Every structure is written in C-alpha cells, then in structure tokens.
C-alpha cells in the first residue's frame, strides 16, 4: 500500500455530480459550490435522504423475518459501530474533497477511482426495485381512497395483486414517471419543502397507529417477539441482513453521504451531526417496526410463515388494522397512511434518480435533459423483471429469492459490503486515518478518534469481509441444492 496524499487537494469548488436537491440549498451564484446554511439544515437533509422505504417497509419485514429482538439488537450494535464509522468517513471525504463519490476517490488517489465507480453502480441497481415497491404503495393508496379497504384487508389480496400480469407493472411505471417528471422539470424544491411538513405527519400518524395496535388482544406477545432478543434465533443471516439494512437505511456505501458531506460547511461539526442522523434514522425504523411487527404477530398468531414472508409484510398486516376502523374510518386512515408513505418513497426515489442522473452527466458528459431521459428509460427497463417477479416471472428465482429479492441481495448484501470494506481499506491503509480525523478535528475534538482508528483499520474490514464471505458461501450452498 502506498501513501498517496501527494495529489494536492484543490479548494476550488466544483459543481459536478451535485444532485439538484442539494443545490436548492444554494444562495450563492451558480459557479460556487453551495452549502447547507446551518448544521441543523445539514442534519435534516441527510436524515431526509436516509428516511424512506428502508425504514418503513424494509426494516420491519427484516426484523420479523430474522427473529425480532435479536435482529434489532444486532442492528443497533452495528449502527453504533460500523454505521458510525462509515458515516463519519463518508461525510469527511465529501467535505474534504468537495466532490461527489465518483470524483472524490479519484481526487484523493487516482488508483482508487474505481471505488467511486463501484459506489455509483449501487443506486442504479436500487432505484428500479425501489420504484416497484413505490408502485405497490401507490396501489394501496388508490385502493383505500376508492373505498377498497375491506378488499385490501382480505387474505390473498396482496399475493394476487403482485402476481397479476399487468397491475404491478402499471403502478411501477406510474411511480417512475412521476419521479421522472418531477426531476425533469426540477421542481424537487417544492417537494422537499412539502416533505418537511408531511414527514412529521407520518411520524405522528405512525405513533397513533402503533398505540392503537398495541392495545389489541395478543399484542403483548408480539411486542415481546419484536423487542426481546432470543439468542437461539441468531444466525449469520441475521448478521448479514442487519449489515445490509444498515447500509441501505442510512444511505451508506453508495456515495450519497460523500455528496452530502461535500455540501457541509467547514465550521459545522461532523461527529455530532452523525450521531443525530443515526438516532433519527434508527428511531423511525424502530417505530415502523413497532407498528407492523406486533400486529402481524396478532393477525397470524405468531405464524413464522407470515412473519417471515418478506417484502409483503407491511401490505398484508396494516390493511387489516385500518379495516378494523370500518369502511369510512378505515378508508380515511389507510388512504392517509399510504399517501404519506408514498410521499416518503417519492422523495427518496427523487434523490436516487438525481444521483443516477449526475452519474450519467459526469461519466458521459451529456446534458441534464438527455441524462434524465436515459435514467428514466433505464429504470423502467431494469424494473420490469422485479415488477413481474412474483407472477409471470415467478419461476426465475434462486432458492426462495424472487427477482426483486435478488437485486436487493446484490446491492445490499454483496456490493454495499464490498464498497464499505474497500472504503475502510482505502482510509486505513491508503490515505491513512489521519486524513479523515484531521478533517473532523477542523473544529473541535473528535471524541471517538481512537475508536474510529481501530475500527477503520481492523474491526470493520475484517468483520465485513467475514460476514460477506460466510453469507455468500451460504447462499451458494442454497443455490447448488
Ligand atoms: N435510505 C433510503 C431508505 O431508507 C434508501 C436509499 C438508499 C436512498 N440510498 C439512497 C435514498 C440514496 C435516497 C438516496 O429508504
């Protein structure tokens, strides 16, 4: 390994690869790189990107699938160790270089430009299947506001919806088209502003639904399953599942936080910002799980098949809760809930598409408009197999993984751990920890510096590599059966 801080880091601000979402924070002329005006502005924007379907849809189903409490226990341990270290590192790289991922690694060391490219591939894989789930949310929204709440609560409704040949496709295409139109016309600013009101509304509504569901008979057993770790349920899959979820939910290991960091002012403190983003993101995920997992437990009587069903959990359990309020109350409540989730999904999908667009613009030197169209068409094409994977293309599967699960596995459980591993090696042995810790210490002491150094150099890379290799062998074992 070589020490390669030889390249001068220019302080000249550059505008390349900047998602428009963040440019909206600019009050400076176009040529200068914009920045967040305050620390709280930075924290909210980064948390806004982090909170999305990952928290509301993905975390609860993984928690239910991987044994409830033990998954949460593992997740929290990983969040305060691996998650903390990686988020600090990414934000510091971004702030130091003033660049988004694809250029940031190159600027620090030419030979490591490939890591920027690896990070860039990940959102391209995530956006299509994220939009498929966004389409499902849209379908449930439409169903509830058109008075179909009772049908949506019936057994088998979800399965027949996702298995139908055209419906998931239609809702997926509608979702991507809305995202495309918003991004094309550059009206994200308005959307972002609106989401500042709607996201708290989602939290309040979720708390209300949670309190209601926890008073249902049998909910106590569900809460126990959700919160109390049972070490019997622990397996290597729990570990990999939690690690992948951590990266996904906090938008790590894909360059997003590098981009956010590049917009952070030098006088704002990185360390405390990271604590706040982590608490925010994990809090919302835990709340969503508390809303969904115990109630799934109630309606299924703790049946592991229902709890372990995966991506459909939220869509199967929650409609039953809303329907218990009767046709009118249930319609309003369900309509409102899915509208708010749809909004959360849209804002995340918008920033994912912005990321993809800036990658296309940077890499192929195309105009923004052309890049938008390419991102749109590409997302549509790549999403079709995931949308059809539960019906027409059901036979295409590895073990019990559908096509959507495969994309999800590839990005969250394979590529993101690899990107995270390489980021640690890059920091610990190529540019050296000091480059990062100096950046963090620009304005005050880095309380966890020693911890950071040990984690980045030894524990994170070894831990991530071990988890990754064991689990891939595991899946390969399933595959060869
Ligand atoms: N973290 C987001 C969520 O929890 C998903 C996500 C991953 C994301 N990468 C992103 C959102 C990039 C915006 C930009 O749903």
């Amino acid at each position: 390994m070589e020490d390669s801080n030889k390249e001068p880091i220019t302080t000249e601000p550059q505008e390349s690869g900047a998602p428009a979402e963040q440019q909206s924070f600019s009050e400076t002329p176009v040529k200068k790189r914009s920045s967040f005006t305050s620390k709280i502005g930075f924290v909210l924007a980064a948390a806004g990107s982090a909170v999305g379907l990952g928290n509301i849809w993905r975390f609860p189903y993984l928690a239910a699938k991987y044994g409830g409490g033990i998954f949460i226990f593992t997740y929290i341990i990983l969040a305060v160790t691996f998650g903390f270290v990686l988020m600090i590192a990414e934000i510091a790289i971004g702030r130091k270089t003033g660049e988004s991922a694809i250029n940031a690694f190159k600027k620090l060391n030419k030979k490591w430009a490939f890591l920027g490219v690896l990070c860039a591939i990940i959102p391209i894989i995530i956006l299509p299947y994220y939009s498929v789930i966004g389409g499902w949310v849209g379908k449930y929204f439409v169903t509830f506001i058109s008075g179909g709440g009772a049908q949506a609560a019936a057994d088998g409704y979800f399965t027949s919806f996702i298995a139908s040949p055209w419906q998931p496709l239609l809702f997926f295409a509608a979702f991507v088209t809305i995202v495309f139109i918003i991004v094309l016309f550059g009206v994200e600013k308005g959307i972002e502003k609106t989401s500042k009101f709607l996201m708290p509304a989602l939290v309040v509504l979720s708390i209300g639904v949670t309190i209601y569901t926890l008073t249902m008979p049998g909910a106590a057993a569900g809460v126990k399953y959700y919160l109390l770790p049972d070490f019997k349920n622990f397996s290597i899959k729990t570990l990999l599942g939690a690690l992948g979820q951590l990266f996904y939910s906090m938008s790590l290991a894909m360059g997003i936080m590098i981009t956010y960091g590049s917009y952070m002012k030098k006088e704002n403190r990185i360390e405390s910002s990271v604590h706040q983003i982590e608490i925010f993101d994990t809090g919302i995920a835990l709340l969503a799980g508390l809303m969904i997992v115990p109630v799934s437990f109630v309606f299924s009587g703790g049946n592991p098949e229902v709890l372990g069903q995966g991506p459909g959990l939220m869509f199967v359990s929650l409609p039953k809760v809303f329907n218990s309020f009767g046709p009118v109350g249930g319609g309003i409540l369900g309509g409102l809930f899915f509208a708010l989730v749809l909004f959360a999904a849209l804002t995340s999908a918008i920033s994912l598409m912005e990321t993809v667009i800036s990658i296309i613009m940077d890499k192929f030197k195309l105009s923004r408009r052309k890049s938008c169209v390419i991102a749109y068409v590409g997302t549509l094409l790549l999403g079709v197999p995931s949308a059809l994977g539960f019906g027409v293309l059901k036979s295409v599967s590895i073990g019990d993984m559908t096509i959507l699960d495969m994309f999800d596995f590839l990005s969250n459980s394979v590529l993101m751990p690899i990107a995270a591993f390489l980021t640690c090696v890059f920091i610990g042995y190529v540019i050296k920890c000091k480059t990062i810790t100096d950046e963090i210490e620009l304005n005050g002491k880095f309380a966890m510096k020693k911890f950071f150094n040990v984690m980045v150099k030894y524990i994170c890379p070894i831990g991530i590599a071990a988890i990754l290799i064991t689990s891939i062998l595991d899946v390969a074992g399933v595959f060869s059966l």
Side-chain angles (χ1 to χ4, degrees), residues 112-195:
W112 282 73
F114 76 92
L115 187 48
V117 178
L118 176 63
C119 286
I121 294 172
I122 297 169
I124 298 176
I125 297 176
I126 291 183
L127 178 60
Y129 86 79
Y130 199 87
S131 303
V132 171
I133 312 293
W136 296 356
V137 177
K139 159 80 184 174
Y140 273 71
F141 167 63
V142 171
T143 306
F144 270 94
I145 57 162
S146 58
Q151 285 152 272
D155 285 333
Y157 180 82
F158 178 73
T159 337
S160 66
F161 159 60
I162 53 169
S164 85
W166 59 271
Q167 279 219 32
L169 215 51
L170 192 75
F171 281 95
F172 156 69
F175 184 89
V176 182
T177 306
I178 294 171
V179 174
F180 168 66
I181 291 172
I182 294 171
V183 168
L184 186 67
F185 290 104
V187 291
E188 298 98 303
K189 231 172 153 176
I191 304 279
E192 285 298 316
K193 284 221 177 84
T194 324
S195 81

Side-chain angles (χ1 to χ4, degrees), residues 8 59 62 65 71 97 117 124 144-145 147 149 201 221 240 282 293 323 348 360 379 388 392 399 405 430 445 451:
F59 182 87
L62 287 179
K65 185 169 168 178
F71 179 82
T97 58
V117 178
I124 298 176
F144 270 94
I145 57 162
L240 185 76
T282 309
V293 180
N323 192 45
S348 287
I360 300 173
T379 305
L388 295 179
V392 183
D405 291 321
V430 183
K445 217 170 133 33
F451 174 75

Side-chain angles (χ1 to χ4, degrees), residues 21-22 46-59 122-123 126-127 129-130 245-252 254-257 260 281 344-345 347-355 412 416:
E21 181 198 317
Q22 288 117 26
S49 154
V51 173
L53 286 176
N55 308 62
I56 304 161
W57 152 77
R58 201 171 185 274
F59 182 87
I122 297 169
I126 291 183
L127 178 60
Y129 86 79
Y130 199 87
Q245 172 62 15
L246 177 72
F247 296 152
Y248 186 88
S249 183
M250 300 203 176
S251 311
L252 292 173
M254 54 187 287
I256 296 293
M257 286 299 155
Y260 273 90
D281 190 75
T347 54
S348 287
I350 288 167
S351 76
L352 274 164
M353 194 180 267
E354 279 292 354
T355 311
N412 303 317
M416 282 169 148

Side-chain angles (χ1 to χ4, degrees), residues 126-373:
I126 291 183
L127 178 60
Y129 86 79
Y130 199 87
S131 303
V132 171
I133 312 293
W136 296 356
V137 177
K139 159 80 184 174
Y140 273 71
F141 167 63
V142 171
T143 306
F144 270 94
I145 57 162
S146 58
Q151 285 152 272
D155 285 333
Y157 180 82
F158 178 73
T159 337
S160 66
F161 159 60
I162 53 169
S164 85
W166 59 271
Q167 279 219 32
L169 215 51
L170 192 75
F171 281 95
F172 156 69
F175 184 89
V176 182
T177 306
I178 294 171
V179 174
F180 168 66
I181 291 172
I182 294 171
V183 168
L184 186 67
F185 290 104
V187 291
E188 298 98 303
K189 231 172 153 176
I191 304 279
E192 285 298 316
K193 284 221 177 84
T194 324
S195 81
K196 294 218 168 73
F197 298 104
L198 293 184
M199 287 310 100
L202 177 63
V203 173
V204 172
L205 186 66
S206 304
I207 293 176
V209 173
T210 307
I211 293 174
Y212 172 76
T213 57
L214 294 187
T215 59
M216 287 179 152
V223 175
K224 212 172 128 201
Y225 174 76
Y226 179 62
L227 290 179
L228 281 188
D230 181 348
F231 288 88
K232 274 203 313 292
N233 291 335
F234 186 82
S235 74
I236 184 76
K237 282 200 177 129
T238 318
L239 205 53
L240 185 76
L243 190 69
Q245 172 62 15
L246 177 72
F247 296 152
Y248 186 88
S249 183
M250 300 203 176
S251 311
L252 292 173
M254 54 187 287
I256 296 293
M257 286 299 155
I258 296 184
T259 308
Y260 273 90
S262 73
Y263 290 96
M264 189 186 199
K265 280 199 175 144
K266 294 278 184 196
E267 59 263 29
N268 290 337
R269 298 204 52 194
I270 297 182
E271 192 178 11
S272 58
S273 306
V274 167
H275 286 309
Q276 287 163 6
I277 300 168
E278 285 210 314
I279 292 172
F280 204 77
D281 190 75
T282 309
I284 298 208
L286 288 175
L287 173 67
L290 198 57
M291 172 170 65
I292 293 172
V293 180
V295 89
S296 310
F297 204 88
V298 171
F299 283 112
S300 70
N303 179 351
E305 238 171 70
V306 173
L307 290 172
Q309 65 168 302
L313 193 70
M314 170 173 112
F315 300 94
V316 170
S317 302
L318 282 183
K320 293 188 201 292
V321 177
F322 298 132
N323 192 45
S324 71
F325 283 88
V328 180
I332 295 174
L333 210 58
L336 190 63
F337 178 80
F338 283 107
L340 292 173
V341 176
L342 188 59
F343 212 84
L346 272 176
T347 54
S348 287
I350 288 167
S351 76
L352 274 164
M353 194 180 267
E354 279 292 354
T355 311
V356 172
I357 288 168
S358 68
I359 292 164
I360 300 173
M361 284 168 66
D362 279 2
K363 219 48 240 153
F364 303 103
K365 307 273 174 283
L366 289 175
S367 72
R368 188 180 151 84
R369 190 164 270 269
K370 274 198 191 121
S371 309
C372 282
V373 174

